[in-house]
Amino acid sequence: MIYVIAGVVLVVVALYWRSASSSAGSTADVDELYRLCNGDKEQMERLIALEMARNDELSREQAAAAAVYAYKRDNR
């Protein structure tokens, strides 16, 4: 019985963690920003730093997502 309860708790925590991390930005955003910068890692890092300076509560992944949005918005 205890194993069933522990399993259910583990599944709930895993689902919560997955949903929280997917809405907060992901490494896919970093990869997309790298691609948008044509492989220029220094440019990518500057764009991430700019977004983090605008909002110091952003994680690196969230800043990358914001940078992707700004890049696409500014380069239409």
Side-chain angles (χ1 to χ4, degrees):
M1 182 69 177
I2 190 126
Y3 294 112
V4 173
I5 294 171
V8 169
V9 169
L10 183 62
V11 168
V12 169
V13 169
L15 290 174
Y16 175 77
W17 178 78
R18 181 177 176 195
S19 68
S21 66
S22 67
S23 64
S26 67
T27 56
D29 294 316
V30 176
D31 293 341
E32 183 176 6
L33 184 59
Y34 183 76
R35 184 185 58 76
L36 289 171
C37 293
N38 296 316
D40 186 344
K41 188 168 181 163
E42 291 177 0
Q43 179 185 12
M44 179 188 76
E45 294 300 330
R46 285 192 305 270
L47 292 173
I48 290 172
L50 176 66
E51 294 300 330
M52 292 180 88
R54 288 182 181 169
N55 184 349
D56 61 349
E57 294 182 7
L58 292 179
S59 69
R60 178 176 166 75
E61 289 78 15
Q62 290 170 322
V68 166
Y69 174 79
Y71 188 98
K72 287 180 176 179
R73 181 195 65 219
D74 296 344
N75 291 290
R76 290 183 187 184

